Amino acid sequence: MSVENIASRERAPFRSQDTRLEPIAAKVMAGERLDLADGLTLYGTSDVLAVGWLANHVRERMHGDITYFNVNRHINPTNVCVAACKLCAFGRKKGDPAGYTMALEEAWQTAASGYSEAVTEFHIVGGLHPDLPLEYFLDLVSGLKQRFPKVHVKAFTMVEVAYLARRAKLSIEQTLIKLREAGVDSMPGGGAEIFSARVRSIICDHKIDGEEWLDTARMAHKLGFRSNATMLYGHIENDEDRVDHLLKLRAVQDDTGGFQTFIPLAFHPENTPLDHLPVTTGLTDIRQIAVSRLMLDNFAHIKAYWQMMTPKIAQIALRFGADDLDGTVIEEKIYHDAGATTPQGMTRKELCRLITEAGRIPVERDTLYNPVTRTEDSFVVAV
Ligand code: V47
């Protein structure tokens, strides 16, 4: 798509039969910030296409047609977890025969397995294991760095960092410094769930609270880490909880600028104690992407995580505000334990096809959004 075409798209008039969207559209076109009431209107209107039009306008203003993906590998070193969150189908209590914990050698072998193209990122998250000491995680990461020095390590959610700190009797700051020394480069966005205390007390009552998650992120950013942020939706939260979550993230981002990407995560109920809840529908997922793009004016990227959304809905999301699909992943456990039927991984070629058929331009990125150029089985990061 040429720049000329993008410019002509910008001139297309905004139209909606829902007149409540007009003042919101005026703010969006003027680059003004949306507020709580606007967020509630965006969730409440039946004109999802108009919300998507606005989000797409912002997305094209920021990124044109560029759509990011990466070549990554997920590693989940253990599913043993003390938290027993009702939202989760992945965690297992200590002693459960379905629990597993990788020996370090096994984790390093997992990192190298399953895919021929050189990965640029290891995405590492796992359960809150009651016995694994901080040293296990430090050794895991430093061993990865020795074996794969060029690969970015995006590891441990704010929840895991806070738990490791508590167990090691260290401050969050001291723990983060140790993780950095071991080779952690940035952090994924998981564990944020929804910040509402009322909802959190039901879906993940043993996890750190919303303020602690945000404070841990603040500290990580202060130390120079970049991180992502997520929101789990489609369970027992309401529109106020969703807008509140987005505004809290936006406020931290105003202070730190450390968040790279926001990833809305649709709740998958299967095999969880909340399996009586229905799965989200396509338009709910699409609207969530669009509202996120519109409310989070200080986040550079909105990710449509294809594993969670399905490749088909994630592709549509690329025209509703998302500019990133996540990556090849290779092996996914958290969503597949909760009933996801998406493939375990995708190749670069498949990701590029989804993007180009959405009329967008695929750009392979590293974790920090530097473009990656490939040479046979290696890669070069352009910085
Ligand atoms: O923290 C757990 C969520 C997260 C379920 O940062 C569930 O680039 C839905 O955070 N249904 C892990 N969601 C995934 C995650 C992530 C994924 C991709 C990229 C990045 C990134 C981060 O998944 C958990 C939790 O919020 N989750 N169980 C479930 N049943």
Side-chain angles (χ1 to χ4, degrees):
M1 181 76 57
S2 70
V3 173
E4 201 178 19
N5 281 344
I6 291 170
S8 63
R9 271 199 311 239
E10 297 253 351
R11 281 199 294 275
F14 171 78
R15 281 202 195 92
S16 174
Q17 286 178 346
D18 186 342
T19 51
R20 294 173 308 159
L21 292 178
E22 280 165 18
I24 297 179
K27 282 190 189 178
V28 170
M29 300 318 240
E32 284 170 27
R33 182 161 265 198
L34 303 184
D35 61 19
L36 173 81
D38 297 327
L40 292 175
T41 303
L42 293 171
Y43 278 122
T45 179
S46 58
D47 197 350
V48 182
L49 287 182
V51 177
W53 189 98
L54 288 172
N56 190 53
H57 178 86
V58 173
R59 182 255 198 252
E60 289 180 359
R61 194 161 67 198
M62 295 174 84
H63 304 290
D65 280 316
I66 286 179
T67 298
Y68 296 98
F69 70 96
N70 73 347
V71 177
N72 61 350
R73 200 205 198 288
H74 283 208
I75 306 169
N76 305 118
T78 181
N79 66 350
V80 175
C81 189
V82 293
C85 297
K86 287 201 178 59
L87 67 90
C88 183
F90 170 70
R92 293 283 183 281
K93 287 225 166 71
K94 187 181 158 186
D96 185 325
Y100 73 85
T101 300
M102 292 180 183
L104 289 176
E105 197 59 50
E106 191 187 346
W108 298 325
Q109 274 169 23
T110 302
S113 68
Y115 200 57
S116 57
E117 282 170 308
V119 299
T120 61
E121 171 190 282
F122 293 131
H123 168 117
I124 309 174
V125 296
L128 308 180
H129 195 298
D131 302 328
L132 284 180
L134 177 58
E135 285 65 36
Y136 168 90
F137 296 94
L138 300 177
D139 292 347
L140 169 66
V141 173
S142 58
L144 280 175
K145 278 290 179 190
Q146 275 162 22
R147 288 162 180 78
F148 310 94
K150 279 169 47 178
V151 180
H152 181 109
V153 175
K154 182 180 81 181
F156 313 126
T157 64
M158 302 307 159
V159 175
E160 290 167 273
V161 171
Y163 184 69
L164 289 174
R166 208 180 82 202
R167 288 209 53 241
K169 297 192 173 41
L170 295 173
S171 67
I172 300 283
E173 183 172 17
Q174 289 165 326
T175 308
L176 285 166
I177 290 170
K178 280 185 182 286
L179 289 170
R180 185 170 60 194
E181 284 165 0
V184 171
D185 296 301
S186 72
M187 270 138 208
E193 318 312 1
I194 196 105
F195 295 137
S196 151
R198 174 184 54 81
V199 178
R200 239 177 147 80
S201 73
I202 297 168
I203 66 166
C204 57
D205 53 341
H206 299 306
K207 245 179 203 166
I208 54 172
D209 66 24
E211 284 311 312
E212 286 174 278
W213 191 97
L214 290 162
D215 286 346
T216 308
R218 267 182 206 280
M219 178 54 78
H221 298 169
K222 186 182 149 214
L223 293 173
F225 285 108
R226 308 301 304 273
S227 79
N228 293 336
T230 56
M231 176 176 94
L232 188 73
Y233 68 94
H235 40 90
I236 56 165
E237 87 291 0
N238 58 31
D239 291 348
E240 282 79 5
D241 298 324
R242 294 183 191 181
V243 182
D244 170 73
H245 189 94
L246 296 174
L247 293 182
K248 286 194 164 117
L249 287 173
R250 192 171 79 180
V252 171
Q253 181 74 333
D254 275 343
D255 291 346
T256 70
F259 290 120
Q260 300 208 102
T261 311
F262 177 69
I263 311 142
L265 298 170
F267 178 54
H268 284 45
E270 209 174 306
N271 301 323
T272 76
L274 300 173
D275 63 358
H276 55 285
L277 295 175
V279 293
T280 60
T281 60
L283 273 183
T284 297
D285 292 342
I286 287 294
R287 183 201 298 265
Q288 184 53 56
I289 288 282
V291 177
S292 307
R293 179 61 288 163
L294 290 167
M295 296 303 293
L296 296 176
D297 57 358
N298 53 5
F299 274 62
H301 305 286
I302 302 293
K303 188 187 281 187
Y305 180 37
W306 67 265
Q307 282 273 6
M308 176 276 293
M309 300 190 91
T310 75
K312 289 186 181 189
I313 299 283
Q315 184 192 38
I316 295 169
L318 299 181
R319 303 211 74 92
F320 282 75
D323 63 282
D324 191 329
L325 280 183
D326 200 77
T328 49
V329 177
I330 302 174
E331 190 181 13
E332 203 286 329
K333 294 188 199 295
I334 295 172
Y335 284 90
H336 286 83
D337 283 354
T341 54
T342 44
Q344 283 286 333
M346 271 211 265
T347 59
R348 289 176 77 249
K349 200 171 157 199
E350 287 167 321
L351 287 165
C352 287
R353 179 169 162 251
L354 282 180
I355 295 169
T356 47
E357 290 199 5
R360 300 300 198 195
I361 300 165
V363 172
E364 184 182 341
R365 60 163 176 88
D366 70 358
T367 312
L368 302 175
Y369 288 83
N370 302 302
V372 170
T373 320
R374 291 216 160 243
T375 54
E376 296 286 321
D377 61 347
S378 188
F379 59 85
V380 179
V381 176
V383 255

